[in-house]
Amino acid sequence: MNQDLWQDDMEYFMQGDWLDWSRLRNRTVLVTGAAGLIGSGLIRGLAYANENMGLGIRILALVRDISRAAALFGEMSGGTVTLVQGDVERMPDIQEKVHFIVHGASPTASAYFVGHPVETIKTAVNGTINMLELGRKKEAEGFVYLSSMEIYGVPETEKPLSEADVDYMNPLVIRNCYPESKRLCEALCAAYAAEYGIHAVSVRLAQTIGPGVSADDKRIFAEFARCVLQEKDIVLLTDGSSKRCYLYTMDAARAILTVLLKGKAGRAYNAGNPDSYCSVLEMAEMVAHVFGKDRIHVKFAENEDTRQFPPPHYYNLDMGEIFRLGFRPSVGLPEMYKRMIEGMVQHKETTKISGNQAKTGTEEENAAYKT
């Protein structure tokens, strides 16, 4: 990441007078999914805060590929950050005391969910059990599981979704292996909290946007950014009426830290920016106008078979619970896009797409661009 962009994000991460940084002094934090977008952002933020506040934090980053992770974290690895090779299903032996655990390791690609539903469920459930058992063994002070707004299924109204508004989901739909396993992992956190006294909490993250998103990322928001960089029209495969909230990467990291330090055991917390709530069509039009400078346009595919796509859905997350902990997101959707695009350009990661137009659905809808 460009130094200025990285510096801005790290300074932003440390803001927030609701956080008691002293809780992390001389503590060891284990992060799984450490090489992912959210995990790496959290680790970078903690390492920067540690350096600037002299907190004495030690970070254990669980990764599968040591060489890739070493390149990702650079000079941080070997200092504040210790890379631990392994995965959540086959945990290495961790001898030292672990005070806090942030469990973010999970499959993230929709194509993978559909092609490997058994593996998706096993990784989520077995991995979470392993991490909770580690937390129990180490008598950890805090445990956060990174869940998803997908656990709400396919909401058909724009009624704000509180943490209690989890409705029916058809377990026989193969794609639902992902949100169903997220639900079960949340249940495991609540169960371990109730039975064993583990301070386990879940955070239901909105879709996260910001620097570090690769330009070949298949999710719809990254596809819109590619359309800007390649000056290609955005072609929607649906009417674009589905709505959701979004969250800046470092706001996600701050939300995780908030829930880790202040959340109540056995509870779940929505995390998103309510000001970002919009439809896919509205987001596409904003991107085309603000970043495409109206040189690209939003169009609809003609004669497209939409039966493969889910009906319109509305992830209008109620943020009341996490707001009561003090958390406040500050980065709006246009700024999320600005900084994500800057990150793509600076890394020279833009992916060439053949043809003059790029067709897009939603994250769950478009088989060609699923994650």
Side-chain angles (χ1 to χ4, degrees):
M1 187 186 299
N2 174 275
Q3 184 66 25
D4 291 340
L5 200 56
W6 180 86
Q7 184 79 17
D8 287 347
D9 267 4
M10 298 307 100
E11 292 289 342
Y12 177 64
F13 176 76
M14 292 195 302
Q15 296 174 14
D17 56 9
W18 66 88
L19 292 172
D20 181 5
W21 289 96
S22 66
R23 290 277 310 281
L24 295 172
R25 189 173 299 280
N26 299 321
R27 294 294 189 267
T28 296
V29 182
L30 172 64
V31 180
T32 75
L37 176 66
I38 298 173
S40 63
L42 175 64
I43 288 172
R44 288 177 183 276
L46 286 174
Y48 188 82
N50 185 57
E51 178 182 347
N52 283 270
M53 298 183 190
L55 295 171
I57 299 172
R58 185 178 179 208
I59 303 168
L60 303 180
L62 184 67
V63 298
R64 288 179 293 180
D65 187 333
I66 287 285
S67 60
R68 175 174 175 264
L72 178 65
F73 294 115
E75 62 185 23
M76 288 186 292
S77 59
T80 300
V81 180
T82 299
L83 302 179
V84 179
Q85 187 168 24
D87 63 63
V88 292
E89 288 193 87
R90 292 168 289 277
M91 281 291 298
D93 185 24
I94 296 177
Q95 295 291 334
E96 59 263 57
K97 173 68 175 175
V98 174
H99 301 92
F100 294 100
I101 297 173
V102 177
H103 177 34
S106 173
T108 58
S110 290
Y112 183 87
F113 305 154
V114 174
H116 303 85
V118 174
E119 290 78 6
T120 298
I121 294 170
K122 287 175 65 177
T123 298
V125 176
N126 293 340
T128 301
I129 290 173
N130 286 343
M131 297 313 301
L132 285 165
E133 284 292 337
L134 180 66
R136 181 185 176 194
K137 175 183 176 182
K138 300 294 185 180
E139 298 181 337
E141 298 172 30
F143 181 106
V144 170
Y145 173 66
L146 306 193
S147 190
S148 166
M149 64 184 179
E150 282 200 38
I151 65 103
Y152 291 109
V154 185
E156 296 180 352
T157 74
E158 295 193 58
K159 174 183 175 293
L161 296 166
S162 74
E163 287 77 1
D165 293 327
V166 181
D167 208 346
Y168 170 77
M169 183 183 298
N170 186 350
L172 303 182
V173 174
I174 295 302
R175 174 59 177 75
N176 285 348
C177 66
Y178 173 71
E180 285 282 28
S181 64
K182 288 287 187 184
R183 286 185 175 188
L184 183 51
C185 290
E186 285 196 19
L188 281 166
C189 290
Y192 269 77
E195 187 169 347
Y196 300 124
I198 301 298
H199 196 92
V201 191
S202 299
V203 57
R204 297 171 183 169
L205 295 170
Q207 199 161 62
T208 305
I209 299 177
V213 173
S214 173
D216 62 0
D217 191 301
K218 304 305 182 185
R219 287 171 292 184
I220 190 171
F221 62 82
E223 172 60 15
F224 288 177
R226 280 195 295 273
C227 288
V228 170
L229 294 172
Q230 300 293 328
E231 294 193 5
K232 298 177 184 292
D233 288 339
I234 295 171
V235 181
L236 297 178
L237 304 184
T238 71
D239 63 6
S241 61
S242 290
K243 290 186 174 184
R244 62 183 61 188
C245 292
Y246 299 88
L247 189 62
Y248 186 57
T249 45
M250 295 315 296
D251 273 328
R254 297 200 305 166
I256 291 165
L257 193 58
T258 299
V259 171
L260 179 67
L261 298 178
K262 302 183 72 174
K264 295 181 180 179
R267 298 279 292 275
Y269 295 84
N270 291 333
N273 187 335
D275 293 338
S276 71
Y277 181 66
C278 66
S279 70
V280 171
L281 176 58
E282 289 168 337
M283 182 169 68
E285 290 175 335
M286 181 276 291
V287 171
H289 174 65
V290 175
F291 301 100
K293 308 298 183 184
D294 292 325
R295 290 191 295 268
I296 67 173
H297 304 88
V298 179
K299 299 181 178 180
F300 295 91
E302 296 181 1
N303 303 317
E304 194 73 31
D305 182 2
T306 61
R307 290 176 298 176
Q308 62 182 304
F309 306 141
H313 50 274
Y314 307 96
Y315 291 127
N316 185 13
L317 303 183
D318 183 336
M319 309 301 171
E321 289 297 321
I322 197 168
F323 280 7
R324 278 185 274 278
L325 299 182
F327 171 74
R328 290 294 184 276
S330 300
V331 181
L333 189 58
E335 184 66 15
M336 295 182 208
Y337 259 95
K338 176 178 178 292
R339 298 178 73 80
M340 176 177 65
I341 291 171
E342 286 177 359
M344 287 180 174
V345 171
Q346 289 159 1
H347 276 101
K348 297 181 180 179
E349 292 178 349
T350 50
T351 302
K352 293 194 180 292
I353 307 171
S354 60
N356 294 321
Q357 297 177 332
K359 293 185 176 182
T360 62
T362 69
E363 178 187 358
E364 293 82 8
E365 294 167 348
N366 190 345
Y369 294 110
K370 285 180 180 175
T371 63

